[in-house]
């Protein structure tokens, strides 16, 4: 039974168009702290960086020498969900109102907000349009 060997989620990978801009954004807007690794990987023709935040969770950022733009339908949460493949990373938050105020102060692109069964959900876009989800769960 294979899943007994899986210990935990390690990281998510996100391709970006401008590594320095993305590193600053993930640090200043989402609070991902130190740069764990910054290297150029010749077989990929890409700069690869790891950042850490949220209880040790890591994001691996890739900046390819010749990146391809994100397709337009990936920018809309409802349209993106209809496309087969990995959709987004979701973060648990404890104060959606304060988080939204923080995002507005930092001119973050808020793509979608909804309240589902007492749970607040907000999607934002990073500087390249990659969707990130934030959820405040209902306390019973």
């Amino acid at each position: 039974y294979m899943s007994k060997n899986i210990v935990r989620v390690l990281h998510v990978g996100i391709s970006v168009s401008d590594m320095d801009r993305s590193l600053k954004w993930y640090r200043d807007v989402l609070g991902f702290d130190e740069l764990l690794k910054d290297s150029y990987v010749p077989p990929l023709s890409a700069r690869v960086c790891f950042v850490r935040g949220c209880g040790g969770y890591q994001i691996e950022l890739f900046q390819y020498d010749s990146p391809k733009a994100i397709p337009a339908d990936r920018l809309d949460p409802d349209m993106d969900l209809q496309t087969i493949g990995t959709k987004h990373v979701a973060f648990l938050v404890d104060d959606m109102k304060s988080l939204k105020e923080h995002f507005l102060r930092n001119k973050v692109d808020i793509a979608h907000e909804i309240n589902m069964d007492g749970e607040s959900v907000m999607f934002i876009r990073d500087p390249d349009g990659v969707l990130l989800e934030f959820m405040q769960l209902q306390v019973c």
Side-chain angles (χ1 to χ4, degrees), residues 71-122:
D73 61 350
R74 296 286 321 257
L75 299 172
D76 179 284
D78 290 332
M79 292 296 296
D80 184 46
L81 289 172
Q82 296 176 38
T83 305
I84 295 171
T86 305
K87 301 292 101 191
H88 55 263
V89 179
F91 298 95
L92 179 64
V93 302
D94 58 8
D95 187 347
M96 188 69 81
K97 182 180 176 192
S98 293
L99 182 65
K100 182 178 179 179
E101 290 169 359
H102 169 74
F103 287 159
L104 291 172
R105 280 192 308 276
N106 286 278
K107 299 177 176 41
V108 171
D109 183 4
I110 297 174
H112 185 68
E113 294 178 84
I114 191 168
N115 194 309
M116 297 186 308
D117 299 324
E119 298 178 353
S120 294
V121 177
M122 179 173 28

